[in-house]
Amino acid sequence: MKEIYSAEGYRIVSEVDHCPFWEKDTVPGYGSGAKDCFFCRYADFRKERYMTRMQGQSAEEPLYSICHHEKNRKQRETSIF
């Protein structure tokens, strides 16, 4: 699948994506050992603001969030001209 980025260059991830920068959320009870982006502290999936925004959307559609890990951010290409 082609990687998609926000206007700020952050990668947009689905709830079941995985990446090498995965880092377990520090909230007790979350994570359960899974290494999906849904459980990573760099994604917004479990933040209250994100959940409020997603209310009312179809449960059949996959959830998408932004990964805020700087190493996963798209670097702007610079031109020498």
Side-chain angles (χ1 to χ4, degrees):
M1 182 178 153
K2 183 180 175 186
E3 292 181 349
I4 302 170
Y5 294 88
S6 71
E8 296 83 25
Y10 290 105
R11 187 171 170 222
I12 297 174
V13 295
S14 86
E15 59 190 314
V16 294
D17 278 347
H18 305 278
C19 90
F21 310 117
W22 183 90
E23 195 166 319
K24 185 177 180 179
D25 197 325
T26 56
V27 177
Y30 290 149
S32 66
K35 293 200 177 222
D36 296 340
C37 286
F38 186 80
F39 298 104
C40 181
R41 72 185 189 115
Y42 286 104
D44 291 337
F45 292 112
R46 294 186 171 269
K47 294 183 179 155
E48 189 173 336
R49 185 182 67 196
Y50 176 83
M51 289 189 280
T52 302
R53 190 169 45 115
M54 293 293 108
Q55 284 178 346
Q57 289 205 4
S58 172
E60 289 96 35
E61 296 176 17
L63 297 174
Y64 291 92
S65 177
I66 294 178
C67 174
H68 293 281
H69 198 297
E70 285 296 322
K71 290 183 179 178
N72 218 4
R73 190 173 185 184
K74 186 175 186 176
Q75 301 300 313
R76 297 189 187 266
E77 297 176 9
T78 57
S79 174
I80 58 172
F81 298 102

